[in-house]
Amino acid sequence: MEAKKLGRSICIPERGHKPKTRPATGKRSGVVFRRTAFVVDGMIQTGRSRPSSYQLPSSNFHTTGIRIDRTGGAAVRLGKHRKTVLGMNQGGTVIPDLFTSLPPFKRDHPQTNTTIAQDETVQLCLPLLVGVEDPSRSIFDFNSHGLPRLERETHVKFLHKSLRKLGASYVAMDASRPWQIYWSLAGLSMLGEDVQQYRERVVQTFTPMQNLDGGFGGGHGQTSHCAASYAAILSLAMVGGKEALDMIERRALQVVWKWLGELKQDDGGFIMSVEGEEDVRGAYCAMVMISLLALPIELPPQAPSRANGFNLFSDGLPEYLSRCQTFEGGISGKPQTEAHGAYAFCVLACLCILGPPNEMIPEYLDVSLLMSWLSALQYAPEGGFAGRTNKLVDGCYSHWVGGCWPLLEASISGPQAQDDLKQYANPGSFFSREGLIRYVLSCCQANEGGLRDKPETNPDAYHSCYTLAGLSSVQHYNYITKIDGHEVVSPLDFAFRWASSPDTPQAKGEEQERIFDEEDRLLPIHPIYVIPWNNVEQTHDSFSQKKGF
């Protein structure tokens, strides 16, 4: 059993020895002995500084938590075999055991590629979660909860660079050009950057991608596609302004409306493009465009699905989405296929466009089974989400899975009054907000800027966008507002009844301390449209005021 020495030492006093202290001059306390952190059998352990080949008895060195103190350094609290708390002082905050040690269960044998990959991922994440991996960091780079700060400036630079001329390797992304723009703009917006500076360039880039049928292709001369059109329209909404929104002027909207009518299927779902594949992505992207652009809910007269008795875009859609829930509770891209976290978000968001979540979601989905499946996708000690059963954690699922929870919470809590939010008790923590925050800030930030899938992978705009979206979601409380008894709500208007608060109501008897610093808070994004709230409101208001075709 080889002990692997980590990147830097942790100063802790020897057992039974009182640490020598310096006068109260604002400097750190001194220590008598220096110990070094090791990884042994996946555990963060300590011992006196020894060669990396030294054999540490794992039975005598169990980690149960890491104590962080900004003025006193770091300390490791050992387990039952060593009762002493080794540290500078007792005033720090303990990183919960859940995020500093392996789960307390015995692994089945034999090993498989899946279990090997999972063990390797944990080995990569544990040192970062404990905060002892990076030799360039001092203890003062962590907050009182043991979290590194959000490297806002480096991420901003990375995402600005993602909107410039890209290298030859991006040729493979030619059909995803609208997505590259959307991911970068959304990430910058959450980080507080003004993206209106890109308005002219975005309009120039998208103009040749818009086809005669009103939709957008992934690149020049490419077929109109639901996903590319979704990304293009949300990007135009983010840069805002008359020039950007006029790209989708009313005459073009009539063409878009007819094109979307061609995508509606006899089973209630949508295909991604004419003669393309059908899955729940098509339903979500189509309903986002229809609702955000205030298109008529009625199908065009020439829509093929009218022959099946459908009159509205929403006809048969909830039933189709319901058929995509699998035996394990998750949601698949289409009926009778494997459940996936991103498809779960698409279905939940689509149902929240079609009506109030407290009515639509329980009516068409088995909520308890879905919550059970989603909960199982969050792993410990990593704290992040996987996208499918028996897969590895990935930063992008901070949104695709993490973004499901506000929608499910709203389905249980129901509408809430904006002025009296504190009187409503949250039904409880359905997932670990702390775990997700720790994974994002500790494991997903790349030193060169941008966010990544997991440690030792490269950052990119996709993972930066959706990892930040997941972090923004857990830093805010999204809820649907109450409707006045005399207020008339039009179809699809429920998507615009949402609001956001920086404070999260707690369940009765539950206490939850905020573990991130306020300076690391991101701007909130709409839980359905995944762009800033003001962009959603301005775009919808602009098109709602335009009468007729």
Side-chain angles (χ1 to χ4, degrees):
M1 175 177 60
E2 182 177 348
K4 178 182 177 183
K5 185 174 180 180
L6 298 180
R8 69 181 175 88
S9 299
I10 299 177
C11 297
I12 56 178
E14 177 65 293
R15 181 182 181 183
H17 215 90
K18 292 184 178 180
K20 297 179 180 179
T21 59
R22 297 175 181 174
T25 59
K27 297 182 179 180
R28 277 188 276 182
S29 302
V31 294
V32 177
F33 293 99
R34 176 177 294 272
R35 290 176 180 261
T36 305
F38 293 86
V39 174
V40 182
D41 288 345
M43 303 289 289
I44 302 296
Q45 299 165 1
T46 61
R48 293 198 182 189
S49 298
R50 293 182 170 93
S52 60
S53 61
Y54 179 75
Q55 304 294 310
L56 284 178
S58 60
S59 61
N60 293 328
F61 290 83
H62 292 284
T63 306
T64 62
I66 303 298
R67 183 177 294 280
I68 301 295
D69 190 291
R70 300 181 84 170
T71 60
V76 179
R77 185 179 67 176
L78 301 181
K80 62 182 180 180
H81 298 288
R82 297 288 298 275
K83 297 289 186 180
T84 323
V85 175
L86 303 177
M88 293 298 205
N89 58 57
Q90 304 301 311
T93 301
V94 172
I95 300 177
D97 303 349
L98 188 63
F99 311 115
T100 62
S101 57
L102 294 176
F105 58 79
K106 187 175 181 180
R107 173 70 57 75
D108 292 335
H109 291 286
Q111 286 188 320
T112 65
N113 290 336
T114 299
T115 62
I116 292 171
Q118 174 60 25
D119 290 343
E120 291 174 347
T121 301
V122 171
Q123 290 278 3
L124 290 173
C125 290
L126 266 177
L128 295 171
L129 291 165
V130 172
V132 295
E133 168 68 15
D134 188 352
S136 67
R137 291 185 185 273
S138 75
I139 195 62
F140 299 106
D141 292 325
F142 298 85
N143 71 7
S144 59
H145 295 273
L147 281 171
R149 69 185 183 90
L150 178 68
E151 300 294 342
R152 190 181 298 267
E153 292 182 4
T154 60
H155 301 327
V156 165
K157 290 179 181 178
F158 177 86
L159 289 169
H160 278 306
K161 186 177 179 181
S162 299
L163 288 168
R164 298 172 191 156
K165 187 174 181 179
L166 302 175
S169 61
Y170 280 86
V171 169
M173 296 283 290
D174 184 61
S176 300
R177 294 179 69 185
W179 280 110
Q180 182 72 18
I181 294 170
Y182 164 76
W183 296 327
S184 301
L185 292 177
L188 288 168
S189 296
M190 285 180 273
L191 290 165
E193 289 290 290
D194 183 0
V195 298
Q196 293 184 17
Q197 60 183 295
Y198 289 106
R199 181 183 298 153
E200 184 178 354
R201 288 181 56 197
V202 167
V203 171
Q204 290 176 349
T205 300
F206 286 151
T207 297
M209 294 185 191
Q210 190 173 24
N211 296 311
L212 295 177
D213 60 14
F216 292 84
H220 298 168
Q222 296 179 17
T223 302
S224 294
H225 195 277
C226 249
S229 300
Y230 165 96
I233 288 171
L234 292 183
S235 297
L236 291 166
M238 280 188 281
V239 297
K242 186 176 186 300
E243 182 184 6
L245 297 183
D246 278 354
M247 269 201 74
I248 322 165
E249 52 89 26
R250 207 62 185 170
R251 183 179 176 186
L253 280 180
Q254 185 176 16
V255 183
V256 173
W257 177 62
K258 291 179 179 179
W259 170 63
L260 289 171
E262 293 184 54
L263 306 183
K264 178 71 175 178
Q265 297 298 290
D266 292 346
D267 60 2
F270 288 80
I271 51 179
M272 295 295 289
S273 61
V274 175
E275 298 184 356
E277 73 276 22
E278 180 183 13
D279 57 47
V280 298
R281 295 175 303 153
Y284 167 63
C285 292
M287 294 312 300
V288 161
M289 290 185 278
I290 291 167
S291 58
L292 188 62
L293 303 179
L295 295 175
I297 188 64
E298 294 80 14
L299 284 165
Q302 302 85 3
S305 58
R306 278 191 175 273
N308 196 46
F310 291 160
N311 297 310
L312 307 175
F313 279 104
S314 55
D315 284 348
L317 180 54
E319 291 79 7
Y320 170 79
L321 300 176
S322 178
R323 293 195 295 273
C324 293
Q325 188 165 26
T326 71
F327 69 94
E328 57 183 337
I331 297 174
S332 57
K334 55 185 178 181
Q336 305 302 315
T337 56
E338 184 184 11
H340 191 287
Y343 295 142
F345 174 81
C346 289
V347 166
L348 288 168
C350 194
L351 289 173
C352 289
I353 293 174
L354 296 173
N358 56 307
E359 295 179 12
M360 296 298 296
I361 293 176
E363 181 175 353
Y364 292 101
L365 296 175
D366 185 329
V367 175
S368 296
L369 201 58
L370 174 58
M371 290 176 65
S372 175
W373 179 76
L374 287 170
S375 297
L377 295 180
Q378 188 172 26
Y379 294 175
E382 304 98 297
F385 287 105
R388 291 179 285 167
T389 302
N390 283 336
K391 294 295 183 179
L392 304 176
V393 292
D394 185 328
C396 72
Y397 295 113
S398 303
H399 164 67
W400 292 121
V401 176
C404 292
W405 291 110
L407 308 179
L408 284 170
E409 287 173 353
S411 75
I412 294 172
S413 299
Q416 301 177 6
Q418 289 178 290
D419 296 334
D420 301 314
L421 186 59
K422 290 185 179 180
Q423 73 176 338
Y424 294 92
N426 189 294
S429 297
F430 298 132
F431 71 107
S432 173
R433 288 174 176 264
E434 176 176 351
L436 185 56
I437 292 171
R438 289 191 180 279
Y439 181 69
V440 170
L441 293 179
S442 299
C443 300
C444 293
Q445 297 192 88
N447 290 335
E448 65 271 29
L451 291 101
R452 59 197 179 189
D453 165 353
K454 58 179 67 66
E456 293 197 352
T457 60
N458 294 322
D460 54 48
Y462 169 82
H463 285 93
S464 296
C465 170
Y466 291 124
T467 304
L468 289 172
L471 180 60
S472 173
S473 179
V474 295
Q475 290 178 334
H476 299 86
Y477 178 64
N478 297 313
Y479 61 98
I480 192 163
T481 59
K482 279 191 170 182
I483 299 173
D484 188 294
H486 302 288
E487 188 176 357
V488 178
V489 181
S490 303
L492 309 187
D493 274 358
F494 286 98
F496 307 100
R497 306 290 311 189
W498 287 77
S500 178
S501 168
D503 300 315
T504 303
Q506 301 303 312
K508 187 175 181 180
E510 181 182 276
E511 294 184 4
Q512 180 175 329
E513 185 179 4
R514 194 184 73 212
I515 65 169
F516 62 91
D517 293 340
E518 187 60 32
E519 63 187 27
D520 293 333
R521 188 188 292 274
L522 298 170
L523 292 182
I525 55 170
H526 196 285
I528 294 173
Y529 298 99
V530 202
I531 59 175
W533 291 81
N534 63 312
N535 297 136
V536 172
E537 295 166 0
Q538 291 169 4
T539 304
H540 183 252
D541 290 346
S542 174
F543 287 104
S544 296
Q545 293 168 7
K546 297 180 180 181
K547 305 296 182 182
F549 282 144

